[in-house]
Structures are given as structure tokens and as C-alpha cells.
């Protein structure tokens, strides 16, 4: 079918933010539709302004478009008014570049970033005129793939996705797509292509596996044929300096969540927080060199015109040459009025010092994440910071001129007591007192001190040492929130929290098995999508569906035995199960596992060679492999 945009462009004035659907941004890549052999569309299951802020989407879009044989375009979830318009005009959801309906592509890939976006994926498939269930797709339909940070438990959406790519795109995705193109050109049937895809590294074809249950409990997963691999290993980049990194990012002409140049300075984190899925599944830490980062920054800023450069990673200040990097960047861009931002900070004075060096002008708020209210609970989750560390950090921050401090905590952590909750309240009050004392005694002008406390509900996610832990009930979390509301009443302190009911749903999808696919389908049929937005989340639909399909909530987010099979056991993320079990055991004893970059090897199973060869910048890194 030809482009479809011309059928609706006269009506765009009637929808909210029509810029979401127009394309034509700076650095957009539009290839000739008819002369390109293989057509790919990358989809983000949320609106344009959310999706265009995602670094992974930028990498895949540009990486695939650098291949002459491919055409790669973008699609985002339409807002409800645009969805109504598409349905009224009987037009399929379309890509931004050539304005083609999704059904016209050879491959549609979704990035998975948030469990509550799964109903939006079903909606985008349906709007794109693609059968929602993979079993109903035929030769003329595109293949549907998915990957991303939540792919480490894909089971709840396996009936809707033809194949998953497990791991980092730069490593093997090009090979997967080229293989798919070759087999399509050979006119192989869909089942044969899926079988061949299943042989490739990092590819999981769920229709070739079956799951087993013992009553309500998941009891295992196995391939349907002996020739299918029983386990799928995560693909990872070994040398970040050599990994593909675009510099000609698309520049939107509407406000998006993060509208700035972004350079990923490192990937992975080995601090070992026992609650952190990203910290476990993105190991090991790999760094870009200072020279490479500056080279990428120069090119990106020149091609985009941005005046802000964000240095992204799970923990940017952990880069082994962060001071040298920031010194060089600030000197290089100081005269150009280009600001540098650090999206993530550790709780220590060094991080504040680094932030001070790059935020000379816009110094309004700093965010710290103590996660728990007492040292005792932080030891249990292996957070590795003391209360005193936080006070030193905020003292430094207030002294340098910041006046607003945000503190993030989790509720429902394993072993949490009322003492820990009271610790959150006391910590916030102490931070406020520190700021007010500095304000009273300073000679310079300082705005009124503010402390913002945010709490989220802890979700025990796959591939963490807490993956066997029972998730706290809604009643428990609500009681904890009420407790904090009473104890955080003080002028200068603001308190906010997320909806524990939504967190509960996120936990059900994050730890769910294939039975959850029926729930997701049912909820979508009831009209749910865009569930990352408060106005579009209807928890009652989820609980109604769980009842309808007779799924006991505790069978998914209840306590598990470490020896019990889990729905994601067939995926190899890197850290081995024995390490996770050991960390789970150590959590009961509040035993610390230090960052292995600076201490002994914790034998997590990720490393295959000494750290000294893993592209860390500092030559002080020790060889910790026996």
C-alpha cells in the first residue's frame, strides 16, 4: 500500500501534539521505499516524546540504516485521539519516515523497557493491521521481534512475539536481521525461518518451547525439538570503544523528556545492589575511553546543535577516569556555553564535587538514592553506603549552592521494619536541618531549603538475588505510606509515592509466566493501553482478568524456594544462579559483597577474562580472576 499520511494530514489540527506523527526532523533518514530490499520498523510502545528520549532506539535506528540493504523507520504509540482518527479513516498505524502502515514492513521490532507497556504493544500491532497472535500471522505479515531491558523474562508476551533478541544490539543484531532477509529471499516458509532463527546466538523463538505447570506453580520449560538449544545466552559487547555509536541523532522539534545530546560513557555496574535488575543483567562494567567519549561528543554536538551533553550510564561517576573526562569536557566546551549533565550520582562527596564542576550555572536540585532508611537494611540490600555518607554529601551540596535535595527510597524491601521507616523520616529531617543550618550561616544568597522524599514499592525482579522474595501486599505498602505521611510532616519536606496497586501489577508481569499472556490480552481487549500514564491505568481490569483465568497472584509474586524452577531459567543473562543464591543467603546475614572492580572476585559468572582486559580506563584496576 502507498503512503497513508496524505489521507489524514488535513485532520491533524484536531489531535493533540500533531508533531508526534509528522516526522521530518533534523537528521531523520528517509530512504527510497521501492528500491530498498528489506524494510524494518522499530517501535517504541509509548508516545513519541518518551520513545525519542531512549538511547537504545537511536542506536538501532542508525545502525540498521547504515546498511544499504536495509531501510529502518520509526513508529510510536499514538495518543487516543490519533488512534480514534486512524480507526475512523481505516488507516493503519504508520511509520514516521515513508508513512507506511506497519503491515507493509518485513520486520517490526519493539523495545521492551517497562512491563506495563505490553498492552500498548498489542494495540500497536492491531492498529498496524498485524495479527496480534504470532500463530495467526502468515507469509505476507512482518516478523515481530522484541528486545530490551525487560526481555529477561519475556514469557508473559511470548504468544504475541515471533522471536526475541536477548542482549545488546550492537553485538549480533545485524547478523540476525541479515539472516532473516536472506531466508526470506530464499522464499522459505515462516516456520522454517523461525526454526533457523532459533539456531542463532541470542535468539529465542518461544513457539519452539513448551512450558509445564504443577497446578498453579511453574515447573519448567523445554524445547519442542532436540535440535533447539535449551538455553539462550545474552549477547554482549566486550569492547565499548569498538561498539557502534551514532553521532547524528534525530533532533525533534517538539519537547521530549530528554532533549539533549547523550553519550554513553560506560555500560554495566558491579556495585552489587541486590534489588537492582540492571546492575545484574548488564554486567560486566565496560567503559569508553576519554578520547573516544570526546570524539563522540564533538561529532554529536556538531551534528545536532544541542547545548547540553548528558554523560549516561548506570553510574556515571564510577567511570574510572571521570575527573579527567569532566575536566577536559568543561575546558573544551566552556566557551561554547554547552552544559554537561550527570544523570546519575552516587551518595558521596566525590559525586557532589563532580556535579559542582559541571553545573556552575543551573544549580537547583540534586538527587540521591539511599534506598532504605537505616544502615542495617542498606547492608541487607548491599547498597554499600552509610547514613553518614549521605549527610556528608548533602552538606557538600548545600555548601556548593544547591538548595533542593531529592531522596529516593523503596518500601517493602525484605526484612523492612518500622525502625527502617522511621529512619527514612529521620533522615529527611536531618537533611533539612543540615541545609537550614548552612543557609543560616552562609554569607551568600541561598534559596529556601527543600527536601523532596519519593518512595516506590520494591518489586523483586528476575535475575536479582531477591527474585525468590515475596512482594509486599498492597495493604502492607499502604500502611507504610500512611506511617511515613504522619512522620514526614514538617515544613520544607515534601513527600510523594507511587501507586502500590500499579507496582503490584508490574510485579505480576515482571515475574509472570505464559499464563499472564491471557491476562494481558484480556486487559487490552477491555481498552487498556498507554498504561505508563496515570490516566490510562485501570488496575481493576487486571484483577478481573486474573480471576477470569484462575491465576493465583501468590503463585507469581509469592515467596519461592531457591530450588524451584523459574519462568526465565532458560535465559542466560550472565550472572549465574549459584551466585544469586549466595547473595540471597548473604542478605539474611547482612553480609556485604563489595564491588569486585576494587576487591576480590565475587564469582558471579560474568567474567571470562581479567578485568584488566575489560576496557576499564584506570590502570589501577586489579586482576581479580584466579
Amino acid at each position: 500500500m502507498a503512503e497513508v499520511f496524505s489521507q489524514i494530514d488535513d485532520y491533524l489540527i484536531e489531535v493533540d501534539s500533531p508533531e508526534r506523527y509528522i516526522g521530518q526532523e533534523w537528521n531523520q533518514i528517509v530512504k527510497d521505499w521501492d528500491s530498498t530490499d528489506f524494510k524494518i520498523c522499530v517501535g517504541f510502545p509509548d508516545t513519541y516524546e518518551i520513545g525519542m528520549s531512549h538511547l537504545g532506539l537511536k542506536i538501532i535506528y542508525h545502525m540498521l540504516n547504515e546498511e544499504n540493504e536495509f531501510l529502518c523507520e520509526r513508529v510510536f504509540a499514538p495518543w487516543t485521539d490519533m488512534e480514534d482518527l486512524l480507526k475512523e479513516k481505516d488507516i493503519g498505524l504508520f511509520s514516521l519516515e515513508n508513512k507506511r502502515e506497519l503491515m507493509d514492513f518485513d520486520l517490526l521490532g519493539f523495545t521492551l523497557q517497562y512491563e506495563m507497556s505490553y498492552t500498548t504493544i498489542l494495540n500497536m500491532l492491531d492498529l498496524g493491521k498485524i495479527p496480534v497472535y504470532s500463530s495467526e500471522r502468515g507469509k505476507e505479515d512482518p516478523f515481530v521481534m522484541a528486545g530490551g531491558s525487560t526481555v529477561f523474562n519475556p514469557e508473559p508476551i511470548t504468544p504475541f512475539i515471533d522471536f526475541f533478541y536477548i542482549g545488546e544490539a550492537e553485538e549480533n543484531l545485524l547478523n540476525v536481521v541479515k539472516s532473516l532477509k536472506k531466508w526470506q529471499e530464499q522464499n522459505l516458509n515462516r516456520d522454517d525461518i523461525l526454526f533457523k532463527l532459533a539456531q542463532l546466538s541470542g535468539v529465542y523463538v518461544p513457539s519452539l518451547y513448551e512450558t509445564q505447570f504443577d497446578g498453579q506453580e511453574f515447573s519448567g520449560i523445554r524445547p519442542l525439538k532436540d535440535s533447539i538449544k535449551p538455553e539462550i545466552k545474552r549477547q554482549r559487547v566486550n569492547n565499548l570503544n569498538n561498539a557502534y555509536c551514532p553521532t547524528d541523532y534525530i533532533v525533534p522539534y517538539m519537547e521530549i523528556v530528554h532533549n539533549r545530546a547523550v553519550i554513553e560513557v560506560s555500560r554495566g555496574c558491579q556495585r552489587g545492589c541486590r534489588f537492582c535488575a540492571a546492575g545484574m543483567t548488564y554486567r560486566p562494567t565496560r567503559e569508553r575511553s576519554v578520547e573516544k567519549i570526546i570524539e563522540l561528543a564533538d561529532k554529536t554536538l556538531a551534528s545536532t546543535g544541542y547545548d547540553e551533553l548528558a554523560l549516561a550510564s548506570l553510574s556515571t561517576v564510577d567511570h574510572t577516569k571521570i575527573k579527567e573526562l569532566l575536566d577536559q569536557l568543561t575546558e573544551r566546551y566552556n566557551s561554547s556555553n554547552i552544559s554537561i549533565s550527570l544523570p546519575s550520582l552516587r551518595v558521596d562527596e566525590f559525586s557532589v564535587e563532580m556535579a559542582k564542576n559541571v553545573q556552575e550555572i543551573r544549580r537547583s536540585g540534586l538527587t540521591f538514592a539511599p534506598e532504605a532508611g537505616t544502615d542495617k537494611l542498606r547492608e541487607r540490600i548491599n547498597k554499600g553506603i552509610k547514613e553518614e555518607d549521605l549527610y556528608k554529601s548533602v552538606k557538600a551540596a548545600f555548601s556548593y549552592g544547591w538548595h533542593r535535595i531529592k531522596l529516593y527510597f523503596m518500601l517493602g524491601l525484605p526484612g523492612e521494619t518500622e525502625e527502617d521507616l522511621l529512619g527514612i523520616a529521620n533522615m529527611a529531617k536531618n537533611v533539612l536541618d543540615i541545609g537550614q543550618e548552612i543557609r543560616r550561616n552562609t554569607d551568600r544568597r541561598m534559596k529556601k531549603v527543600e527536601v523532596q522524599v519519593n518512595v516506590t514499592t520494591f518489586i523483586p525482579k528476575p535475575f536479582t538475588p531477591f527474585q525468590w522474595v515475596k512482594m509486599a501486599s498492597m495493604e502492607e505498602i499502604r500502611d507504610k505510606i500512611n506511617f511515613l505521611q504522619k512522620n514526614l510532616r514538617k515544613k520544607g519536606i515534601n513527600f510523594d509515592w507511587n501507586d502500590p496497586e500499579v507496582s503490584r501489577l508490574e510485579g505480576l508481569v515482571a515475574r509472570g509466566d505464559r499464563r499472564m499472556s491471557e491476562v494481558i490480552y484480556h486487559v487490552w481487549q477491555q481498552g487498556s493501553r498507554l498504561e505508563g500514564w496515570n490516566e490510562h491505568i485501570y488496575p481493576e481490569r487486571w484483577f478481573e482478568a486474573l480471576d477470569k483465568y484462575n491465576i493465583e497472584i501468590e503463585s507469581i509474586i509469592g515467596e519461592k524456594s531457591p530450588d524451584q524452577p523459574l519462568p526465565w531459567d532458560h535465559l542466560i543473562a550472565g550472572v549465574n544462579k549459584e551466585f544469586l543464591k549466595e547473595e540471597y543467603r548473604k542478605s539474611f546475614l547482612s553480609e556485604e559483597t563489595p564491588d569486585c572492580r576494587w576487591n576480590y572476585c565475587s564469582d558471579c559468572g560474568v567474567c571470562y577474562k581479567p578485568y584488566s582486559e575489560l576496557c576499564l580506563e584506570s590502570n589501577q584496576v586489579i586482576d581479580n580472576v584466579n
Side-chain angles (χ1 to χ4, degrees):
M1 184 176 282
E3 68 85 25
V4 295
F5 190 72
S6 56
Q7 299 177 52
I8 58 166
D9 57 355
D10 289 342
Y11 302 93
L12 280 183
I13 196 171
E14 299 172 9
V15 304
D16 184 41
S17 300
E19 313 96 291
R20 290 168 169 160
Y21 315 106
I22 295 172
Q24 303 181 40
E25 311 98 318
W26 182 257
N27 283 337
Q28 177 190 232
I29 301 170
V30 184
K31 292 186 176 181
D32 183 71
W33 181 267
D34 294 325
S35 63
T36 309
D37 293 339
F38 193 80
K39 301 169 180 68
I40 307 157
C41 191
V42 289
F44 195 93
D46 210 316
T47 59
Y48 177 92
E49 55 268 39
I50 306 292
M52 281 300 293
S53 302
H54 184 246
L55 180 60
L57 190 80
K58 300 174 201 277
I59 293 172
I60 293 172
Y61 175 82
H62 288 278
M63 182 176 76
L64 292 173
N65 268 318
E66 287 210 355
E67 302 293 316
N68 290 333
E69 59 188 320
F70 299 150
L71 165 158
C72 183
E73 309 200 339
R74 297 162 294 151
V75 66
F76 301 93
W79 197 247
T80 52
D81 53 1
M82 185 60 172
E83 178 180 334
D84 291 341
L85 179 61
L86 293 175
K87 288 178 176 175
E88 180 189 331
K89 302 298 178 187
D90 191 27
I91 294 172
L93 182 60
F94 56 86
S95 65
L96 294 189
E97 282 77 7
N98 271 295
K99 309 291 190 300
R100 300 293 179 131
E101 293 176 324
L102 301 189
M103 61 182 290
D104 293 340
F105 287 84
D106 297 295
L107 173 64
L108 172 62
F110 284 102
T111 179
L112 308 177
Q113 298 299 317
Y114 177 46
E115 290 84 354
M116 299 310 294
S117 70
Y118 293 170
T119 52
T120 305
I121 291 177
L122 271 58
N123 204 47
M124 291 174 72
L125 288 170
D126 187 55
L127 289 172
K129 300 183 177 180
I130 298 171
V132 169
Y133 279 101
S134 58
S135 59
E136 295 174 0
R137 289 175 202 137
K139 187 174 178 59
E140 301 304 317
D141 295 310
F143 282 87
V144 178
M145 68 167 288
S149 60
T150 65
V151 78
F152 295 104
N153 179 20
E155 293 307 299
I157 52 169
T158 48
F160 316 117
I161 305 295
D162 294 316
F163 68 95
F164 295 89
Y165 178 81
I166 313 295
E168 297 168 354
E170 304 98 322
E171 181 61 19
N172 197 36
L173 184 61
L174 268 181
N175 176 47
V176 171
V177 178
K178 287 184 177 185
S179 298
L180 174 59
K181 173 178 177 286
K182 180 182 70 177
W183 295 325
Q184 275 202 332
E185 289 171 346
Q186 293 172 354
N187 206 26
L188 299 183
N189 68 45
R190 197 174 183 90
D191 287 342
D192 287 343
I193 290 176
L194 287 172
F195 181 80
K196 283 181 168 289
L197 282 168
Q199 314 302 316
L200 299 179
S201 298
V203 175
Y204 171 44
V205 181
S207 59
L208 299 179
Y209 296 75
E210 68 173 3
T211 54
Q212 298 162 325
F213 291 86
D214 181 6
Q216 287 275 333
E217 295 294 333
F218 175 85
S219 61
I221 184 168
R222 67 178 184 86
L224 292 169
K225 296 180 180 178
D226 292 340
S227 52
I228 300 297
K229 53 183 180 281
E231 295 178 330
I232 300 92
K233 188 176 179 182
R234 172 179 71 111
Q235 303 298 287
R236 71 163 185 242
V237 168
N238 288 328
N239 188 329
L240 204 56
N241 274 335
N242 297 336
Y244 176 80
C245 182
T247 55
D248 49 354
Y249 295 141
I250 294 173
V251 183
Y253 43 76
M254 71 175 288
E255 279 300 313
I256 62 173
V257 175
H258 299 302
N259 204 3
R260 60 197 181 193
V262 180
I263 303 295
E264 186 185 25
V265 298
S266 63
R267 190 175 295 179
C269 175
Q270 287 163 207
R271 289 194 163 262
C273 299
R274 294 181 176 123
F275 57 85
C276 183
M280 294 293 164
T281 55
Y282 282 89
R283 289 187 176 203
T285 301
R286 292 142 291 167
E287 297 180 347
R288 282 202 163 97
S289 68
V290 172
E291 294 74 21
K292 187 68 178 180
I293 294 168
I294 290 174
E295 175 196 330
L296 294 171
D298 281 350
K299 290 179 179 177
T300 303
L301 292 168
S303 70
T304 61
Y306 279 122
D307 62 0
E308 181 181 355
L309 174 67
L311 305 180
S313 81
L314 288 174
S315 183
T316 300
V317 181
D318 277 346
H319 192 287
T320 50
K321 290 195 174 179
I322 186 66
K323 188 172 187 315
E324 178 183 334
L325 173 63
L326 292 179
D327 286 346
Q328 291 196 34
L329 287 176
T330 49
E331 182 182 354
R332 196 176 191 86
Y333 300 132
N334 191 41
S335 60
S336 309
N337 289 324
I338 292 170
S339 64
I340 299 164
S341 60
L342 304 172
S344 58
L345 287 182
R346 295 191 316 240
V347 182
D348 59 28
E349 291 176 274
F350 177 75
S351 296
V352 178
E353 178 78 22
M354 294 300 100
K356 167 184 161 290
N357 291 344
V358 300
Q359 295 180 21
E360 288 294 341
I361 301 173
R362 285 176 271 182
R363 197 170 293 170
S364 54
L366 273 187
T367 300
F368 297 104
E371 314 288 4
T374 62
D375 286 349
K376 184 179 175 184
L377 188 54
R378 279 190 292 276
E379 287 167 3
R380 183 160 187 171
I381 63 176
N382 205 45
K383 181 62 181 176
I385 61 165
K386 301 290 185 185
E387 193 167 337
E388 197 58 32
D389 298 329
L390 177 72
Y391 296 149
K392 288 178 181 175
S393 302
V394 298
K395 187 173 182 180
F398 288 130
S399 299
Y400 289 141
W402 277 281
H403 70 98
R404 186 184 305 125
I405 298 293
K406 287 185 183 177
L407 302 174
Y408 277 97
F409 298 92
M410 287 185 287
L411 295 183
L413 286 164
E416 186 178 65
T417 64
E418 190 171 293
E419 179 188 351
D420 301 305
L421 299 179
L422 199 56
I424 293 175
N426 290 336
M427 190 181 287
K429 291 172 183 173
N430 290 339
V431 169
L432 182 67
D433 290 344
I434 290 170
Q436 289 177 335
E437 184 180 353
I438 290 174
R439 185 170 182 253
R440 278 194 299 274
N441 296 319
T442 185
D443 294 331
R444 57 182 167 72
R445 188 164 177 255
M446 183 175 173
K447 288 185 179 178
K448 202 168 171 183
V449 174
E450 298 172 37
V451 177
Q452 173 73 42
V453 177
N454 286 74
V455 297
T456 59
T457 303
F458 166 65
I459 300 170
K461 293 211 169 182
F463 288 106
T464 69
F466 290 146
Q467 64 182 351
W468 298 284
V469 169
K470 176 183 178 180
M471 189 173 175
S473 68
M474 282 186 283
E475 292 71 25
E476 288 172 317
I477 295 298
R478 282 173 178 152
D479 286 345
K480 292 172 192 282
I481 290 171
N482 290 337
F483 180 91
L484 287 175
Q485 275 186 299
K486 290 176 187 169
N487 286 277
L488 279 169
R489 286 179 187 147
K490 188 170 183 179
K491 194 173 180 182
I493 296 179
N494 298 309
F495 177 49
D496 198 9
W497 61 93
N498 71 333
D499 185 344
E501 202 167 35
V502 176
S503 297
R504 188 99 166 152
L505 297 178
E506 188 181 336
L508 280 165
V509 181
R511 291 201 353 187
D513 49 58
R514 290 193 182 186
R515 295 175 301 162
M516 282 301 293
S517 64
E518 293 180 307
V519 174
I520 292 169
Y521 185 80
H522 178 86
V523 171
W524 167 65
Q525 282 200 312
Q526 299 303 305
S528 289
R529 71 274 199 236
L530 296 171
E531 293 187 284
W533 299 75
N534 289 338
E535 62 265 48
H536 289 297
I537 183 80
Y538 298 95
E540 64 274 14
R541 291 176 180 169
W542 287 83
F543 294 112
E544 175 192 304
L546 287 162
D547 283 341
K548 176 180 173 66
Y549 293 103
N550 192 31
I551 298 175
E552 295 175 4
I553 291 175
E554 291 305 302
S555 71
I556 296 176
I557 54 176
E559 185 174 357
K560 306 283 182 187
S561 161
D563 297 322
Q564 194 173 340
L566 298 169
W568 48 90
D569 276 349
H570 57 304
L571 303 185
I572 308 300
V575 293
N576 61 50
K577 202 167 184 178
E578 291 309 309
F579 168 75
L580 296 176
K581 286 181 181 178
E582 177 63 9
E583 284 296 292
Y584 184 41
R585 184 195 68 77
K586 289 169 76 173
S587 74
F588 289 101
L589 305 172
S590 296
E591 282 185 24
E592 181 192 15
T593 299
D595 188 329
C596 57
R597 284 172 296 181
W598 325 114
N599 290 277
Y600 59 86
C601 172
S602 56
D603 196 21
C604 70
V606 165
C607 291
Y608 56 95
K609 62 168 112 174
Y611 266 122
S612 53
E613 298 176 24
L614 274 176
C615 303
L616 290 173
E617 275 289 271
S618 172
N619 56 15
Q620 297 175 9
V621 176
I622 60 172
D623 178 347
N624 63 353
V625 174
N626 293 326

